Amino acid sequence: MEKFLNLTASGAMSGAVYSLIATGLVLSYRATGIFNLGYGAVAFTTAFVYYELHTGLGWPVVPAAVVALGAFAPLVGLALDRLIFRRLGRAADSAKLMATVGVLVALPALAKWTVELLVDVAGWTLPLGNDVYVMPGLGPSPKTTWELPGGVIFDSNQLIVLVGAVACAAGLWLVLGHTRLGLTMRAVVDRPDLARLRGIDQGRTSAQAWVLGTFFAGLAGVVGAPVLNSLDPGTYTYVTFVAVAAAVLGALRSVPLAFAGGLAIGVVQNLVAGYATFADGIREFNASVPFVLLLVGLVALGRDRSRRAGSIGEDAPAGLAPASARGPATGLTTGAGARSAAGGRRRPVAPGAVGAALLLVYVFAVADEFWLGLTTRGLAFSLVFLSFVVVTGMGGMVSLAQTAFVTAAALTAGLLVDRYDAPFLVALAGGVAVAVVLGVVVALPALRLGGLSLALATLALAYLGEKVLFSWEWLGNGQSGWALPRPALGPLDLADDRTLAVVLLVLVAMVTLVIRNVDRSPTGRAIVAVRTAEVAAATSGASPPKVKLTLFALSAAIAALGGVLVATVDQRATGTTFPAFLGLVWLAAVVLWGVRRPAGAILAGLTTVLFPALLANGVHWPSWVPDALSWGGTESTQVADVLFGLGAIQMARDPDGILSVLARARRPRLRRTEVDAEPGVGAGAAAGRDRAVDAAGAASTSAAADTARRVVAAEESATAAQVAADEQRLERLGVVAGGRGRPAAGRDGSAGRPAPVVELRGVRAGYGEVTVLYGVDLDLPAGCVTALVGGNGAGKSTLCAVVAGLVPARAGTITLEGEDVTGVPAHVRARRGVVLAPESRGIFPALSVDDNLALRLTADQRDQVYDRFPALAARRGVPAGSLSGGEQQMLTLGPLLAAPPRVLVADEPTLGLAPRVVGELLDVVAELRDAGVTLLLVEEKARAVLDVADHVVFFELGRVLWRGPRAAVDDDHLAAAYLGGAEAPA
């Protein structure tokens, strides 16, 4: 019993460190939408700064803690938010995760490098922080120790950790669930654009979230350091990954459950270490406990069924344009992406052939023995990294288990060669076969999970392989591993580095060709379909489970091939060469160069091996080159990791990778997509503008601007006839009675139109390279209902977004009561009274009904809404996403009734509603108008809103065709025109 109590108590104390970090992870994820695997790096760096201030400079505990926790950690949060994470709000899961890996690697290195510079350059007397096993904490020194009845012993450092964990969990629970700051954080994560439309400053909220998150990370690092007895970044990284399991046990949402999960993991880990005698032959068996719990928690709690293939909503399939070039809801692709989607655009092979030729010249004519060996090893890693192109680049699934495939294949091959004297090719095939089986096992969570959950599940499986499978004596042969000598394959003696380099280059080319052929095959089309819309793909005949299993099996086979060859280059295979954590760094390197391009994986493999050696050895040219162009390198081992972090910042700016940036830089010409997309332009005009576009791309900046202006003028002239024809068609069909652009009558049909509250003049807008609005002129009269009607794809939603400030105007002006608000952001316009009710309902699905109302209303105003809509009162505590369509529309309009805005823009407000609910909705619209609200109702079904409209605007293909009073519109002819096939009345 005494043993049990001691194990439980000591486990709870160590588990308190996990709880501290787990609650911080939940905070970061709920407040920013980014699961910060770099949390441990922030904890370490803050503890390192505290150590240098307290131990190195001799500061007392209080000022050292104030500077480290009150200044340094928050400043780190602000820097991370501004430089990296704010730009990644809509990036793919792979880019988000890898940016945090960049922080995980770079931040500790930057701290240590700074101290090295202060010591070597500035002459400061500071400890470098290497091999530190007694860390200062916030408690007394030396620590105080107590013994409880039953022989339970604990000290002051452990007590501080436990009390700190409880206090932090309680504080975070209060902040997230019971403060205005927590509410706005959760709203921004749930629907960022809608949060802006509700007046929330997304940038400020993001900064506050990161400041709060890094403060708690720093606190965990400082108070936990004496318990960990280490100042090694790897220790903090491992503790963070253990804490991930606790956060998952809290469903990534519940701070109290994450806190309890951390304590439970610490206790269970200790009990397994004390009682699991059956696992004495497996080193660190107890270290596998958190990852078993992580995997079980993910499988049990994984509920994201909407996007199981991965990051598809914001992550376009390989070859498609980045999100910035697509509309927010249409998924429209432009430029090269459109060509790829339509016909499978092929990348040129010339750059790859030239690169291979230059590499051969380098191998045979330039490289010495040292650099030749590194180049050979880099080519073997390129094979490994090509596996990421398959599973992540093509499949959209983030796999962090590639180190497990590499190690399993290498150990299997080494076992067969070293113990059973198997031929090399047989051992290679055996290693690949074992990795494929392991890949299928790893793929099983992919059948249920997606996105972040899948990434964490593969990470858990990689750690289980490292802690259990590869620690198995029979397979791993202890620390020494297996000898894997380089064989001779017929005339090819792989003991020669140049021969091995050529063989590896040929294999890299063959694997690249296989990936390209799969991408262009029916299997590749099925992969894109499953990645983009899994349910739709299944109904079209594609089998999502088969696709996912195929992707993981092919990826594992490629990684295994590379892994065996890496071990062949090294001539030894061990179970500790490639720890699970290294898989994150590998994927980050590939994502940095471009995970959708095989060339990105090849460059990542070469640079991963060559770049650290280049930094250490420098650049030395022949004697005839001036010495000033040579560089002696650096002795610091931190520089490479710091530069890796700078790469993470670049990745935040362009998640498609460096090769994507270079490809765009090589083509500084204006794209023709915008021209092709413009409606109503004849072939002659389009050809003329094509010539203008080519001229603009070849001219200087000012000349291109002049050409662009001429293009716009030519477009307006060419489309004037089409616009006039559309207007005449409306009149000929009897839809309208009058000319375009006449002053509209008032509410009663008389002249005397109210002054406009919102005015648009010559507004042009669009997404990326696609223009949607072409010179729109529109007035919204005060206290009137303006109905904007038009077919699907006319640009109505874009116009709404422009009025609200979500989409910037490229040209023209927007005024609000005479004040120019063209450049005013959406959250500021919302605070000035411009409210947009978007097409997809203006609610935050993950927030409760009451939280949705609390974002805009006081307690008394919320009571008014509940009195008006009793159905909402009965469900005030449930998530808004579980409401019916009518109830969601009530929740959208309720705040508008309690606190009427100056301007309401409603995009398709009747979409998906029953006729009875539509009638109630229009009654609310009339009530708002009577309260003096200026309304713009945007509808595809025109008749739904004409009963309450004062003015009508016909909109088609990004232009206003006609505007006038409601009385000038004939309902019957309008319906005929919209149904198609209508002829002019006799």
Side-chain angles (χ1 to χ4, degrees):
M1 187 62 179
E2 181 176 338
K3 177 182 179 181
F4 175 81
L5 290 176
N6 273 288
L7 289 173
T8 301
S10 60
M13 295 302 176
S14 61
V17 179
Y18 305 150
S19 296
L20 260 176
I21 296 179
T23 52
L25 287 171
V26 171
L27 165 70
S28 297
Y29 186 63
R30 291 191 65 186
T32 66
I34 295 175
F35 196 78
N36 186 12
L37 292 178
Y39 201 87
V42 179
F44 162 80
T45 307
T46 307
F48 183 76
V49 169
Y50 176 76
Y51 168 79
E52 294 293 346
L53 294 175
H54 181 62
T55 303
L57 298 179
W59 288 21
V61 170
V62 174
V66 168
V67 171
L69 296 175
F72 176 77
L75 287 175
V76 168
L78 286 174
L80 293 178
D81 170 60
R82 184 57 61 92
L83 295 176
I84 303 178
F85 294 117
R86 188 178 299 185
R87 304 171 184 269
L88 290 174
R90 297 186 178 182
D93 288 329
S94 59
K96 289 180 180 179
L97 281 174
M98 294 310 104
T100 66
V101 173
V103 174
L104 177 64
V105 173
L107 198 57
L110 181 60
K112 284 182 165 289
W113 187 41
T114 302
V115 171
E116 290 177 2
L117 293 177
L118 291 174
V119 171
D120 297 337
V121 178
W124 289 30
T125 303
L126 290 173
L128 296 179
N130 300 323
D131 301 324
V132 177
Y133 300 104
V134 179
M135 278 291 298
L138 298 181
S141 182
K143 63 185 179 182
T144 303
T145 303
W146 299 278
E147 182 175 354
L148 296 179
V152 176
I153 299 174
F154 68 99
D155 59 49
S156 54
N157 290 326
Q158 293 174 323
L159 180 62
I160 289 174
V161 170
L162 184 59
V163 172
V166 173
C168 288
L172 291 177
W173 176 74
L174 288 172
V175 168
L176 283 175
H178 299 82
T179 66
R180 174 75 182 182
L181 175 60
L183 179 59
T184 56
M185 288 176 179
R186 289 183 284 127
V188 167
V189 173
D190 195 20
R191 291 186 66 182
D193 281 345
L194 184 60
R196 294 164 58 196
L197 294 173
R198 295 299 175 263
I200 298 174
D201 186 342
Q202 190 173 345
R204 181 179 179 184
T205 302
S206 177
Q208 292 171 333
W210 282 106
V211 165
L212 194 61
T214 51
F215 169 78
F216 282 108
L219 182 63
V222 171
V223 303
V227 176
L228 298 176
N229 280 330
S230 172
L231 198 60
D232 176 48
T235 301
Y236 284 82
T237 298
Y238 173 76
V239 169
T240 298
F241 289 158
V242 173
V244 168
V248 168
L249 293 178
L252 300 178
R253 297 186 57 83
S254 172
V255 169
L257 287 179
F259 170 79
L263 295 180
I265 288 174
V267 171
V268 173
Q269 211 170 3
N270 260 22
L271 292 177
V272 169
Y275 291 106
T277 56
F278 63 89
D280 289 342
I282 300 177
R283 302 185 312 274
E284 299 185 79
F285 180 78
N286 66 309
S288 67
V289 170
F291 304 105
V292 173
L293 294 176
L294 172 58
L295 189 60
V296 172
L298 286 169
V299 173
L301 300 175
R303 292 187 291 267
D304 183 8
R305 309 289 293 180
S306 59
R307 252 185 27 228
R308 289 176 291 173
S311 52
I312 55 96
E314 64 280 355
D315 188 16
L320 296 188
S324 60
R326 305 192 303 270
T330 62
L332 180 64
T333 57
T334 63
R339 290 191 297 274
S340 177
R345 180 178 63 92
R346 297 188 176 187
R347 301 188 189 278
V349 298
V354 171
L358 292 176
L359 188 60
L360 287 174
V361 171
Y362 175 77
V363 165
F364 283 98
V366 179
D368 59 18
E369 184 177 348
F370 173 76
W371 291 103
L372 177 60
L374 290 177
T375 303
T376 303
R377 197 167 192 264
L379 286 170
F381 270 103
S382 295
L383 277 172
V384 174
F385 289 1
L386 282 168
S387 66
F388 289 111
V389 178
V390 174
V391 70
T392 302
M394 294 171 56
M397 296 179 288
V398 179
S399 171
L400 303 178
Q402 304 305 98
T403 56
F405 304 148
V406 168
T407 304
L411 290 178
T412 301
L415 171 69
L416 293 175
V417 169
D418 198 358
R419 175 173 291 181
Y420 298 105
D421 296 323
F424 177 79
L425 292 180
V426 173
L428 175 64
V432 171
V434 168
V436 168
V437 172
L438 188 60
V440 173
V441 173
V442 171
L444 295 179
L447 304 181
R448 175 177 176 84
L449 305 174
L452 174 65
S453 297
L454 174 61
L456 295 179
T458 57
L459 180 63
L461 289 167
Y463 265 104
L464 287 176
E466 176 188 341
K467 302 297 182 183
V468 180
L469 181 61
F470 307 140
S471 294
W472 184 19
E473 185 69 23
W474 181 84
L475 179 62
N477 198 30
Q479 297 290 335
S480 61
W482 303 105
L484 193 60
R486 299 185 184 182
L489 303 176
L492 301 176
D493 184 4
L494 301 188
D496 178 65
D497 279 342
R498 287 182 171 82
T499 302
L500 182 55
V502 173
V503 170
L504 288 171
L505 186 60
V506 171
L507 288 174
V508 166
M510 292 174 62
V511 171
T512 300
L513 183 62
V514 168
I515 292 174
R516 290 188 180 277
N517 286 337
V518 170
D519 190 30
R520 298 168 186 158
S521 68
T523 300
R525 290 191 289 273
I527 291 170
V528 173
V530 171
R531 171 193 174 119
T532 306
E534 183 175 331
V535 176
T539 59
S540 301
S543 171
K546 180 181 178 181
V547 167
K548 294 176 184 179
L549 291 173
T550 301
L551 282 170
F552 268 94
L554 178 59
S555 174
I558 296 173
L561 175 63
V564 173
L565 291 170
V566 168
T568 302
V569 172
D570 297 341
Q571 302 188 62
R572 182 158 296 278
T574 71
T576 58
T577 304
F578 305 116
F581 162 72
L582 197 57
L584 283 81
V585 180
W586 287 356
L587 179 54
V590 181
V591 171
L592 179 60
W593 281 101
V595 74
R596 296 173 183 171
R597 301 167 183 257
I602 297 170
L603 287 172
L606 290 170
T607 55
T608 296
V609 176
L610 294 173
F611 189 62
L614 181 64
L615 289 176
N617 293 274
V619 178
H620 304 280
W621 301 101
S623 58
W624 50 269
V625 178
D627 292 339
L629 297 180
S630 296
W631 176 54
T634 176
E635 296 181 358
S636 175
T637 59
Q638 314 298 335
V639 176
D641 292 340
V642 172
L643 293 177
F644 186 87
L646 295 178
I649 296 176
Q650 169 58 38
M651 185 169 61
R653 295 177 181 273
D654 195 314
D656 280 339
I658 295 174
L659 289 183
S660 177
V661 176
L662 296 176
R664 289 196 295 271
R666 289 196 304 267
R667 296 191 296 271
R669 59 183 175 83
L670 297 178
R671 299 190 184 276
R672 299 176 181 170
T673 309
E674 179 174 333
V675 175
D676 296 338
E678 292 169 1
V681 180
R689 282 176 297 154
D690 283 349
R691 290 191 294 272
V693 167
D694 291 336
S700 65
T701 303
S702 59
D706 292 338
T707 303
R709 284 192 290 270
R710 290 195 298 271
V711 168
V712 173
E715 170 216 317
E716 296 295 342
S717 174
T719 58
Q722 181 65 41
V723 173
D726 290 334
E727 175 190 339
Q728 292 170 6
R729 178 175 176 271
L730 289 174
E731 295 182 5
R732 186 177 71 254
L733 294 176
V735 175
V736 299
R740 179 177 182 266
R742 297 184 321 160
R747 200 176 295 173
D748 58 357
S750 62
R753 185 186 190 191
V757 175
V758 176
E759 296 179 88
L760 281 69
R761 292 291 178 265
V763 170
R764 295 171 61 88
Y767 309 99
E769 298 157 359
V770 177
T771 295
V772 179
L773 304 183
Y774 301 91
V776 173
D777 293 331
L778 181 65
D779 295 340
L780 300 183
C784 296
V785 177
T786 301
L788 183 76
V789 296
N792 188 28
K796 304 185 301 297
S797 294
T798 301
L799 179 61
C800 293
V802 169
V803 173
L806 286 180
V807 175
R810 296 174 177 172
T813 59
I814 305 170
T815 61
L816 175 62
E817 294 186 336
E819 179 184 357
D820 190 344
V821 295
T822 307
V824 174
H827 70 274
V828 177
R829 293 192 201 183
R831 293 173 183 175
R832 295 183 183 179
V834 179
V835 173
L836 169 62
E839 178 181 359
S840 55
R841 307 281 187 260
I843 65 167
F844 297 92
L847 303 186
S848 68
V849 170
D850 200 63
D851 283 342
N852 270 269
L853 296 178
L855 283 169
R856 293 194 67 237
L857 304 179
T858 65
D860 292 339
Q861 290 172 332
R862 295 200 296 274
D863 289 338
Q864 295 177 27
V865 175
Y866 292 139
D867 291 340
R868 176 68 181 267
F869 301 109
L872 296 181
R875 308 191 67 186
R876 67 177 68 194
V878 304
S882 65
L883 301 178
S884 67
E887 290 170 335
Q888 290 182 9
Q889 200 62 278
M890 293 176 193
L891 185 57
T892 301
L893 296 177
L896 305 176
L897 291 171
R902 297 163 72 185
V903 178
L904 172 61
V905 180
D907 187 8
E908 301 278 5
T910 66
L911 183 66
L913 299 183
R916 179 184 61 81
V917 180
V918 171
E920 295 174 354
L921 172 66
L922 296 181
D923 291 340
V924 172
V925 169
E927 185 176 340
L928 289 171
R929 176 184 60 190
D930 294 339
V933 178
T934 300
L935 295 105
L936 175 64
L937 297 187
V938 178
E939 275 288 351
E940 181 178 346
K941 298 175 293 184
R943 271 190 155 172
V945 297
L946 289 183
D947 290 341
V948 295
D950 303 308
H951 312 289
V952 180
V953 177
F954 287 96
F955 203 69
E956 190 66 32
L957 297 177
R959 295 180 176 85
V960 174
L961 300 184
W962 182 92
R963 54 181 174 267
R966 164 68 179 91
V969 179
D970 183 281
D971 292 13
D972 294 332
H973 289 91
L974 174 65
Y978 266 81
L979 289 173
E983 300 295 339

